[in-house]
Amino acid sequence: MSNKASRTVISVAPAKINLILEIHGTDSEGYHNLSTVFQALDLSDELMVTLAEDTALELVDKVHSGFKVELDDNNLVIKAQRLLEQHCRRPLPCHIKLIKNIPAGGGLGGGSADAASMLAALNIIYDLKLDKAELLSLAARLGADVAFGLIGGTALGTGRGERLSALPTHLSDHKVVLVVPPRGLSTPKVYAEWDKLEDKLRHPAQGNAEKYCQLARRADSLGDALQACLSNDLQPAAFAMYPELKTLQRKMLEAGCSAALLCGSGSTMFGLLEPQFTAKQIAELIAELSPLGRVVVTSMRSSQI
Ligand code: C5P
C-alpha cells in the first residue's frame, strides 16, 4: 500500500454489495440492527495521500455518474481525517487525491470505503501505530459501513453493520453485474420507508444470514444453496420509492442473471452471472441492460485487506 520514499500512500477502496441484509428492529438511537453479509468487489476507488503543509482534497471523477461527491467537510474522507486528528490530538495535514470509480449514491459503499482507506493511509503515512481494533472503532463512528472497508473480502456484519466477522468467500467464480439507475436513493429515507412498511413485507431476508454463514463455513462448493439465501429486507422499501427497480430486477433475470438484488439501500442492483457465461453473452447482457442504467461488470474480491 505505501511508498514511503515519496511520502505518498496509495490505498485502494473497494465497493461492496450486501449478499444478505436482514433487519431486526431498531436501537435506542433509531438505527436498525442488522445481520448483513458484506462482499467486497473488484471495483475500487483509489486514494493517494501525500504529506503536505495543509489539507486539500482533489477529486478525479472517472464515473461522471451525476451524483454529487461533496468536496467539503461533509466528505467522509475529510471527516475521517478530522476524527483521526481529534483522536491523536495533533494535526495530520495531507494532500488527498481521490480517484472515483465507484458511482456515488448507489448503495455500493464508495464513500465508506474511501473513509476507511483514509484512516488506514494516515495511520501509515504518519506512523500513528493505531491497531486494527482502534481503527475499527473510529470507523464505526464515521458510518455503519466504514468498518467493513478496513476488513474487505466477505464478512458478516451485526449491530449497525460495524461488528464484523470474516467469512470465506464463495461464488467468486461468478461475475457480478451492477446496474446503476439514473436516480440514487437516500439511505436514511430508505430505512424510514422500511419503518412504514406493512409487517408482512418487511422481512424477505429473515433467517438467511445465519443460514448463509453456516453454509459458507463448510468447505464444499454450495453455489446454488448460497444463492438461494441472497435477500435484502430493504428491497421492498426501495421498490416502493423507486418502482422502476422492480422492472430492472425482472429484466436482469430475463437477461440471464441467476440472481438479482438491491445493493444495500440502493438504488444500484447487482446480478450474478454463472461461471459458464461467455464474453459474447456478457456483451449481449450489457447491451440489453444499458438503457436502464450504467452497467458495470466486475467480480467478487476475496482477499482481506
Ligand atoms: O451510518 P450511515 O451514515 O451510513 O447511515 C446513514 C443513515 O442510514 C443513518 O443516519 C440511519 O438513518 C440509517 N441507518 C440505519 N441503520 C443502519 C445503518 C444506517 O437506520 N444500520
Side-chain angles (χ1 to χ4, degrees):
M1 182 206 242
S2 79
N3 174 0
K4 276 198 172 162
S6 63
R7 310 184 114 203
T8 294
V9 167
I10 299 175
S11 179
V12 165
K16 61 85 190 157
I17 53 178
N18 301 73
L19 298 175
I20 297 161
L21 192 153
E22 220 182 300
I23 302 177
H24 313 287
T26 46
D27 66 18
S28 56
E29 290 173 63
Y31 265 81
H32 294 71
N33 292 315
L34 307 179
S35 296
T36 184
V37 178
F38 290 107
Q39 174 62 58
L41 299 178
D42 275 328
L43 172 71
S44 304
D45 289 344
E46 218 177 286
L47 216 69
M48 292 174 69
V49 183
T50 306
L51 289 180
E53 299 279 307
D54 298 300
T55 293
L57 174 60
E58 178 192 347
L59 180 75
V60 181
D61 180 8
K62 294 226 174 145
V63 260
H64 306 291
S65 58
F67 301 133
K68 206 163 161 231
V69 178
E70 308 280 354
L71 270 187
D72 53 19
D73 286 5
N74 287 320
N75 189 294
L76 265 184
V77 166
I78 299 295
K79 284 189 178 169
Q81 187 223 24
R82 302 267 190 264
L83 184 66
L84 209 49
E85 285 183 332
Q86 275 170 23
H87 182 77
C88 300
R89 298 204 176 105
R90 57 178 279 201
L92 302 168
C94 55
H95 181 256
I96 310 144
K97 185 168 174 178
L98 172 57
I99 302 167
K100 285 295 297 177
N101 295 303
I102 307 173
L108 292 166
S112 299
D114 298 342
S117 286
M118 184 64 181
L119 292 177
L122 285 175
N123 193 31
I124 291 172
I125 205 166
Y126 275 105
D127 199 21
L128 300 173
K129 298 192 170 56
L130 299 181
D131 64 21
K132 197 101 181 189
E134 276 174 291
L135 288 174
L136 283 168
S137 112
L138 289 167
R141 290 169 57 188
L142 290 165
D145 293 343
V146 180
F148 175 69
L150 294 169
I151 299 277
T154 313
L156 173 71
T158 55
R160 297 175 177 184
E162 84 290 7
R163 282 186 229 141
L164 296 161
S165 56
L167 288 169
T169 300
H170 287 274
L171 303 171
S172 51
D173 49 352
H174 291 59
K175 290 242 176 295
V176 179
V177 55
L178 303 171
V179 185
V180 189
R183 182 156 72 80
L185 283 173
S186 136
T187 301
K189 285 189 182 156
V190 177
Y191 275 102
E193 184 71 25
W194 183 87
D195 291 336
K196 290 192 275 167
L197 284 181
E198 281 178 65
D199 213 36
K200 65 177 193 297
L201 293 176
R202 278 181 160 188
H203 293 296
Q206 205 65 39
N208 280 353
E210 194 183 332
K211 207 184 301 166
Y212 184 96
C213 291
Q214 282 171 5
L215 288 168
R217 287 184 176 121
R218 281 164 48 180
D220 41 345
S221 170
L222 293 158
D224 290 347
L226 289 174
Q227 280 193 53
C229 297
L230 304 190
S231 46
N232 184 339
D233 280 347
L234 288 174
Q235 188 170 269
F239 282 10
M241 294 169 74
Y242 198 166
E244 292 86 346
L245 294 181
K246 200 170 181 161
T247 314
L248 173 56
Q249 185 182 47
R250 181 172 47 77
K251 295 243 162 106
M252 290 171 78
L253 294 170
E254 283 168 7
C257 296
S258 53
L261 195 70
L262 186 78
C263 296
S265 58
S267 61
T268 302
M269 301 284 298
F270 76 89
L272 289 188
L273 301 178
E274 296 291 333
Q276 62 270 23
F277 229 72
T278 62
K280 181 168 172 283
Q281 283 173 310
I282 292 176
E284 285 166 6
L285 173 122
I286 293 174
E288 261 175 70
L289 297 177
S290 289
L292 303 169
R294 174 190 295 264
V295 182
V296 179
V297 178
T298 181
S299 44
M300 306 208 187
R301 192 184 181 96
S302 52
S303 58
Q304 306 273 292
I305 290 169

